[in-house]
């Protein structure tokens, strides 16, 4: 998939909003209403390709829930009325992308670490229904590290009942590469187990970002191990509806990270398809640094 210039404009605010921001998403092929549940920039991963600079202090320390719900309500009204396409940021949006695809829980950290995750997702779903947006998806973009917690399980059930979709991160096939990329104390096996368990309840989308680290992309051995991890999920009875293979499209906080080529993305997609039989899609990067 080619990258439109607007795909690189993922500012964490729209007008005066603190928690809700509209993004033209290359993955959803339309407008995604982003939700930032981690304005404090705290995350249990510290991925080397992340664009969030965690060394800078954040302006906002916590989610002001009533303000958040007000922002969601206003943003969905703006989107439902079509007024958003008249704003300076989106006035040049191509006609084929002028659609509201989803409300995406993502932001500056791992959204499932939010203490009242289930309640927040539930009320967001209610606001979506009030605007008649039954076909608009609710997407959770997650590192899958917290699926085993009861509050997260309840939140996932809310998503299941409200046209929800889970995009679970899996950026590695081996533990060593996992720790190189994610820089976390969360065990790799926990992520693998959580993905496998969640995929047995509902179909998952797996999102994977491959990149050059100090000028070197992932080895073939790493890619083969990655394909095996996907096969492990399906062999355990899980359903993976789509594998998203993409690379760096926005400048990461770490200068030693760079995109792999379009041809390499295509090669990895073909490898995944050949070795797993799963549906995979390519999402290309940008040299616009």
């Amino acid at each position: 998939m080619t990258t439109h210039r607007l795909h690189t404009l993922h500012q964490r605010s729209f007008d005066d909003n603190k928690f809700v921001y509209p993004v033209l998403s290359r993955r959803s092929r339309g407008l995604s209403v982003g939700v930032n549940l981690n304005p404090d920039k705290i995350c249990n991963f510290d991925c080397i390709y992340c664009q969030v600079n965690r060394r800078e202090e954040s302006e906002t320390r916590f989610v002001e829930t009533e303000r958040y719900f007000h922002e969601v309500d206003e943003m969905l009204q703006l989107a439902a009325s079509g007024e958003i396409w008249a704003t300076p940021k989106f006035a040049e949006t191509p006609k084929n992308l002028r659609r509201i695809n989803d409300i995406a829980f993502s932001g500056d950290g791992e959204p499932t670490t939010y203490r009242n995750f289930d309640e927040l997702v539930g009320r967001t779903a209610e606001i979506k229904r009030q605007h008649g947006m039954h076909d608009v998806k609710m997407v959770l973009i997650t590192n899958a590290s917290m699926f085993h917690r009861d509050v997260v399980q309840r939140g996932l059930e809310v998503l299941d009942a409200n046209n929800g979709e889970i995009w679970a991160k899996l950026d590695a096939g081996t533990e060593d590469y996992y720790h190189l990329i994610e820089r976390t104390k969360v065990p790799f096996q926990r992520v693998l187990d959580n993905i496998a368990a969640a995929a047995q309840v509902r179909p998952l989308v797996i999102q994977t970002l491959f990149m050059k680290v100090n000028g070197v992309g992932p080895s073939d051995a790493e890619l083969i191990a990655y394909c095996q991890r996907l096969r492990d999920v399906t062999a355990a009875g899980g359903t993976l509806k789509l594998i998203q293979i993409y690379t760096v499209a926005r400048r990461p906080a770490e200068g030693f990270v760079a995109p792999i080529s379009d041809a390499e993305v295509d090669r990895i997609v073909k490898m995944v398809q050949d070795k797993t039989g799963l549906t995979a899609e390519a999402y290309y990067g940008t040299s616009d640094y």
Side-chain angles (χ1 to χ4, degrees), residues 146-211:
M146 311 294 280
F147 285 0
H148 56 289
R149 292 192 173 182
D150 289 344
V151 66
V152 178
Q153 289 285 335
R154 292 193 295 270
L156 299 186
E157 291 170 3
V158 172
L159 290 171
D160 292 341
N162 289 278
N163 197 20
E165 195 168 80
I166 299 170
W167 295 2
K169 173 202 295 283
L170 182 62
D171 294 327
T174 64
E175 187 159 3
D176 286 347
Y177 196 72
Y178 165 82
H179 285 294
L180 170 68
I181 302 302
E182 320 294 20
R183 296 189 302 197
T184 178
K185 294 180 180 179
V186 175
F188 186 37
Q189 193 60 49
R190 181 198 294 175
V191 172
L192 296 175
D193 291 345
N194 282 352
I195 288 174
Q200 292 173 31
V201 179
R202 81 281 290 168
L204 298 188
V205 173
I206 297 295
Q207 57 168 200
T208 301
L209 191 148
F210 289 116
M211 74 225 79

Side-chain angles (χ1 to χ4, degrees), residues 30-97:
L31 190 78
S32 178
V33 176
V35 172
N36 185 10
L37 301 187
N38 304 93
D40 55 8
K41 297 186 181 181
I42 293 175
C43 187
N44 58 357
F45 279 25
D46 185 19
C47 303
I48 62 175
Y49 59 80
C50 186
Q51 78 276 11
V52 177
N53 188 344
R54 305 193 189 283
R55 294 166 184 80
E56 293 181 353
E57 187 172 345
S58 59
E59 295 181 3
T60 303
R61 287 294 184 184
F62 59 92
V63 176
E64 303 160 36
T65 53
E66 290 310 310
R67 174 166 181 163
Y68 160 74
F69 293 128
H70 177 71
E71 289 182 9
V72 170
D73 187 40
E74 284 200 333
M75 184 60 66
L76 294 188
Q77 174 59 37
L78 190 66
S81 68
E83 294 176 51
I84 195 165
W85 308 119
T87 63
K89 180 177 177 180
F90 294 103
E92 62 179 278
T93 301
K95 288 185 178 180
N96 65 311
L97 297 179

